[in-house]
Amino acid sequence: MLAPWMNTELPAPARAQLLADAMTVPELAGQLLAGDANNWPTGLPPHELGLLFNCKGAKLARMARELRERHRLRVPVLFALDCAHGHAMSENLGATVFPTPLALGATFDIALVREVGRWTAQEMAATGIRWNFGPNVDIARDLRFGRIEETFGEDPGLVGTLGAAMIEGLQGDPAHPTVLATAKHITGYSESVGGRDSAECALSWRTLRRDHLPPYRHAVRAGVWSVMSGYHAIDGVPCVINRKLLRDELRSQLGFQGFVVSDADNVQWCTLLQALDGTSAEFIVRGIEAGNEVHLAVSGVVEALVAAVNSGRMDVATLRAAAALVLQAKFALGLFEAAAPEPVSQVRTPASFQAAVDAAAASMVLLENRGALPLQPQTRRIALVGTLADDVRQQLGCWTILCRNDDAALELAKQPDAASWTYRAALQAQADRTGCELKYVPACGPTPGVSAQDEEAGIAAAVAAAQDADVVIAIVGDSDHWCGEGRDRADLSLPGRQQALLEALKATGKPLVVVLAVTKPHALPWVQANADAVVCAWSSGMGGGRALADLLWGERDFSGRTPITWPAHVGQLPVNYDRVHGAHFEGFSGGPNQSVPNAPKDPSRDLNIWRIENTRHIDLPADWVHGLWAFGHGLSYARIDLVAAEMLQASWVLGDTPRMQVQLRNSGPRDGSALVQVYVRDVAASVTRPDRRLAAWAHLQVAAGAKVTAELDIHPEALELIDAEGRRVTEPGLFHALVGFSSQVSGLQVLPFEVLSKQRP
Ligand code: BGC
């Protein structure tokens, strides 16, 4: 007879409850352990493992079958992997690698990110992996932090919106998800002191609610099944045992209904470095009580929970409720009905590869152009310079290779078409098509350990090639040696002799196009001032070569915009645009006191000082006060202006969605698109708050010579603040909508509008 929980007519929560009721205490406890296949001791009783990560290919197929057959109640194991930008840790599976999350952030394209999620889920499911440890919805803050490339950028609204799109793409119908998504790492992980990974995150609950929790709100609304807790502590309490964070904020305030997984080895840090009083077994129990149901890669989980129930320390109902959340996910995934996974060797298709090319093209940002791009038809000889032009491993990006595992990288390079993915291969193919001669000189790159002599010889060879060329394309940046988990930097200049390389190339007098193959923004004032064009290519995935070739030759236009502010100097970090002002306006420290020409008079103020930015650092040039390239900045080949913008009404009632209309004109000869951005400023409120925040955006297509009119909505949540009592509220009063093409305040048009508590009679 079929067990009652195998009745597919019942909803997943009811089936989970029936199964949980039939389970023994050790079996319930086993559902709360996610083991690491790399360290999984074979021979353990199968009921001791509900979840397994880092297992792939033939091993996964075998373990899936064996563990299920040996489980008393035939409960399947759920397999997990970090697939942050495609099924990327899949060196032997032939999957599609998309640009890194930060690069995807630069697309500002919700549909595109959803599509990346959809492809990723499809390829994961085909390989038997149904739980993704992503997306990362941390917001970028101090750029020295090694994990900036894993974020969608610095703005909570952008990060939350794109995070939600990724979740929707990964999960599909949340009632029957293709894979489970995980929003991580709740929260504040990216704002640690000094940008040092897992150091203290000295954040107030105000900052958490205002900046770090909103992306989780988006994720919960998108139906995310799982959330990962961070390694760090909040207000002295590690996230993994932080009831206020996991129960009060995540479940009660945001309405999360899935399960929380700890980060790997997380409870162990409670006793080790965080030096709390207690044993690892106690923190396993406290984690579950606090709302962290699953422990990842922790030993002793089953023993600790069984002992806690036997001694009366833990109520079995708490254990059962936690296990039921995991079982519910397994039922929703259809794991109990699914056939055992089979090993596969190729999940990438021409269509998914094309999606990777399109994503890469949409993510690249034209930061500067002094006429060097697009390459002109009369360009006949190109010098291509830099080791990063021909480095598939770095191009693929962060969660591609098993934690800098060289064997995995070599496996990737064995894919039959791998040689065609690189910038070098694609630019060579394009040069051949257009009848150009391309000479490639590796010269030097970010990899440490190359002798000074070899690098100097490389630079000399690059200079010789440049002297013979019409244009020089230098691909420079960092590498996995300089970023990633536990790899924070003190300096954000180009590693190695790459700066010297650029200066030597500049001295040839040939037009210099700098392509930044960087995992995150660097401080590059020389590049900004001296290059004839600057393109940020990020870590662009397999489609990056083709995308870059299309963009440099002008066969596609740039639509990417930077989702993160670029610093001019590492000492000014954090330099995010949405700062909270204190005292002193910009001119106070000797900088230009730029007034904004179109700033409206504010009748509620004694002084009509337009709040621009905080005081600059006295030892940096005044015009670096906003960093080098502002959040939202990016150029294109089309000539599109904002000719008019107006609010559809001057006043709105609390809860309304304020609307505005914009008109764009393309005065150039080329069709194109522009990213219209709307920021909101609360003119006067009961507490301090960010000067302005992104509230809406739209990519608008405008044909050559044409005008386009569009309407944009300001979501009512964009008007909210955290009041002195910690509540999320909208305070009626005067607001400004700031409209333009980047966050740089001096380029924004100001549209005042009012929010009333109720309709005027
Ligand atoms: C990282 C997580 C990741 C986990 C599993 C941890 O070290 O912080 O982001 O999901 O490992 O690979």
Side-chain angles (χ1 to χ4, degrees):
M1 205 188 72
L2 213 55
W5 55 85
M6 292 304 286
N7 178 358
T8 53
E9 306 278 289
L10 294 174
R15 294 178 72 185
Q17 198 53 56
L18 286 168
L19 177 54
D21 287 343
M23 280 178 142
T24 62
V25 168
E27 284 165 355
L28 291 169
Q31 294 305 308
L32 303 179
L33 168 63
D36 180 348
N38 293 333
N39 310 312
W40 181 247
T42 48
L44 277 186
H47 66 252
E48 292 202 356
L49 180 74
L51 314 141
L52 193 60
F53 87 116
N54 280 345
C55 192
K56 292 178 285 174
K59 183 173 174 190
L60 181 148
R62 181 170 46 76
M63 288 195 78
R65 213 175 2 256
E66 280 178 20
L67 287 166
R68 184 168 184 177
E69 277 164 11
R70 288 171 47 214
H71 195 286
R72 182 178 71 92
L73 299 171
R74 303 279 175 277
V75 178
V77 166
L78 171 58
F79 291 90
L81 198 63
D82 291 89
C83 298
H85 49 119
H87 192 356
M89 298 243 296
S90 59
E91 69 282 0
N92 52 359
L93 302 175
T96 314
V97 179
F98 292 91
T100 50
L102 187 59
L104 292 174
T107 67
F108 283 76
D109 188 333
I110 299 166
L112 182 147
V113 172
R114 196 181 288 123
E115 200 52 14
V116 170
R118 198 186 60 73
W119 281 115
T120 306
Q122 183 174 310
E123 296 189 353
M124 288 178 70
T127 61
I129 301 172
R130 305 290 300 279
W131 181 19
N132 187 358
F133 291 154
N136 183 327
V137 295
D138 296 330
I139 52 165
R141 277 294 174 263
D142 192 321
L143 306 184
R144 293 172 294 177
F145 180 46
R147 304 188 70 176
I148 295 294
E149 62 179 335
E150 296 181 47
T151 74
F152 290 112
E154 73 185 28
D155 180 83
L158 179 69
V159 170
T161 305
L162 297 185
M166 183 66 92
I167 290 162
E168 287 159 8
L170 286 167
Q171 297 193 157
D173 173 4
H176 305 284
T178 320
V179 302
L180 309 183
T182 307
K184 69 182 184 186
H185 314 77
I186 195 167
T187 190
Y189 179 35
S190 54
E191 198 162 351
S192 62
V193 175
R196 289 186 288 264
D197 194 334
S198 301
E200 187 187 15
C201 299
L203 297 166
S204 66
W205 283 98
R206 159 174 308 284
T207 310
L208 290 164
R209 290 185 184 124
R210 187 189 65 207
D211 303 344
H212 294 272
L213 281 164
Y216 289 88
R217 195 182 189 196
H218 284 269
V220 170
R221 236 185 253 141
V224 73
W225 268 95
S226 120
V227 167
M228 185 181 283
S229 54
Y231 281 128
H232 57 289
I234 296 214
D235 209 7
V237 184
C239 295
V240 66
I241 54 165
N242 198 316
R243 176 183 284 271
K244 183 169 176 187
L245 177 69
L246 301 179
R247 290 220 185 268
D248 300 352
E249 293 291 332
L250 179 63
R251 291 198 188 271
S252 304
Q253 293 294 322
L254 304 186
F256 177 61
Q257 299 193 339
F259 63 88
V260 174
V261 57
S262 76
D263 206 335
D265 310 314
N266 209 340
V267 287
Q268 272 145 23
W269 301 115
C270 296
T271 55
L272 288 171
L273 282 179
Q274 289 159 345
L276 301 195
D277 187 12
T279 61
S280 174
E282 279 163 43
F283 292 116
I284 290 169
V285 174
R286 281 178 60 184
I288 291 173
E289 287 170 343
N292 186 109
E293 286 79 19
V294 173
H295 289 289
L296 180 62
V298 172
S299 49
V301 170
V302 175
E303 294 87 329
L305 295 175
V306 170
V309 172
N310 287 346
S311 68
R313 158 76 182 78
M314 188 185 203
D315 186 357
V316 72
T318 308
L319 184 65
R320 185 165 286 119
L325 287 176
V326 174
L327 295 172
Q328 184 180 326
K330 291 185 178 182
F331 282 115
L333 284 163
L335 286 190
F336 286 79
E337 287 73 38
E342 295 292 337
V344 287
S345 58
Q346 175 72 47
V347 286
R348 185 170 59 255
T349 63
S352 66
F353 185 83
Q354 185 59 44
V357 175
D358 294 341
S363 75
M364 293 185 183
V365 185
L366 181 59
L367 292 167
E368 296 288 341
N369 191 8
R370 302 186 171 99
L373 291 178
L375 296 173
Q376 296 305 309
Q378 61 272 24
T379 306
R380 296 272 58 97
R381 289 165 308 165
I382 297 172
L384 176 66
V385 173
T387 62
L388 287 173
D390 196 22
D391 188 333
V392 78
R393 167 177 167 157
Q394 303 310 335
Q395 189 179 315
L396 293 182
C398 59
W399 281 102
T400 306
I401 40 185
L402 273 170
C403 294
R404 296 175 280 281
N405 170 337
D406 283 313
D407 293 341
L410 290 176
E411 281 301 313
L412 260 169
K414 280 190 208 152
Q415 294 276 309
D417 51 347
S420 68
W421 301 338
T422 63
Y423 300 124
R424 178 191 178 185
L427 298 191
Q428 181 68 61
Q430 180 75 12
D432 293 346
R433 254 195 306 278
T434 53
C436 284
E437 193 189 311
L438 183 142
K439 183 163 170 50
Y440 173 56
V441 183
C444 63
T447 309
V450 182
S451 77
Q453 212 178 6
D454 285 354
E455 289 194 328
E456 291 307 329
I459 294 175
V463 167
Q467 273 154 352
D468 265 357
D470 302 326
V471 60
V472 184
I473 301 172
I475 305 196
V476 292
D478 62 341
S479 68
D480 58 351
H481 176 85
W482 302 99
C483 72
E485 198 169 339
R487 290 183 172 244
D488 314 311
R489 290 183 64 188
D491 176 24
L492 288 176
S493 55
L494 293 169
R497 286 183 182 70
Q498 296 179 100
Q499 180 62 38
L501 168 69
L502 293 180
E503 289 177 21
L505 293 170
K506 175 75 186 173
T508 64
K510 295 299 170 82
L512 175 62
V513 175
V514 175
V515 176
L516 299 171
V518 283
T519 63
K520 61 182 173 183
H522 283 52
L524 302 172
W526 186 93
V527 172
Q528 189 212 36
N530 290 283
D532 296 289
V534 184
V535 173
C536 179
W538 315 106
S539 304
S540 56
M542 324 182 137
R546 183 68 255 157
L548 184 67
D550 287 354
L551 289 163
L552 294 184
W553 265 266
E555 291 178 9
R556 294 192 193 227
D557 200 353
F558 286 89
S559 59
R561 304 292 183 258
T562 179
I564 193 162
T565 307
W566 291 61
H569 188 283
V570 77
Q572 66 181 164
L573 294 172
V575 69
N576 46 295
Y577 80 93
D578 51 346
R579 279 176 260 172
V580 181
H581 294 321
H584 302 330
F585 49 89
E586 187 180 345
F588 190 84
S589 300
N593 190 7
Q594 302 162 5
S595 56
V596 177
N598 49 2
K601 286 249 181 295
D602 176 357
S604 68
R605 317 260 136 212
D606 305 332
L607 280 171
N608 194 30
I609 291 175
W610 180 258
R611 299 191 302 271
I612 298 182
E613 287 294 336
N614 261 338
T615 323
R616 73 183 178 96
H617 291 107
I618 196 68
D619 51 356
L620 296 182
D623 58 1
W624 286 3
V625 69
H626 312 290
L628 279 191
W629 292 298
F631 172 88
H633 166 77
L635 307 171
S636 73
Y637 296 141
R639 250 195 338 263
I640 300 176
D641 308 305
L642 179 65
V643 285
E646 60 174 4
M647 296 303 296
L648 295 190
Q649 289 170 209
S651 61
W652 303 81
V653 176
L654 220 50
D656 280 353
T657 297
R659 301 203 95 187
M660 70 173 59
Q661 192 176 67
V662 295
Q663 192 178 57
L664 303 187
R665 182 186 50 213
N666 184 343
S667 55
R670 194 180 160 129
D671 297 350
S673 79
L675 182 73
V676 177
Q677 300 160 42
V678 181
Y679 296 82
V680 163
R681 163 180 288 167
D682 188 340
V683 174
S686 64
V687 289
T688 58
R689 62 223 166 272
D691 177 74
R692 58 195 179 283
R693 271 271 163 86
L694 184 66
W697 67 89
H699 283 286
L700 297 180
Q701 304 290 330
V702 196
K707 276 189 183 164
V708 158
T709 301
E711 289 187 3
L712 281 92
D713 287 346
I714 296 176
H715 196 284
E717 281 173 10
L719 309 177
E720 292 174 350
L721 51 74
I722 305 298
D723 73 8
E725 275 70 52
R727 292 171 308 208
R728 186 176 295 284
V729 295
T730 302
E731 295 179 349
L734 187 62
F735 289 81
H736 288 162
L738 309 164
V739 193
F741 297 129
S742 91
S743 63
Q744 183 92 48
V745 78
S746 51
L748 293 167
Q749 286 199 30
V750 185
L751 312 180
F753 67 97
E754 206 180 0
V755 174
L756 309 171
S757 51
K758 56 180 180 343
Q759 200 73 53
R760 279 198 183 106

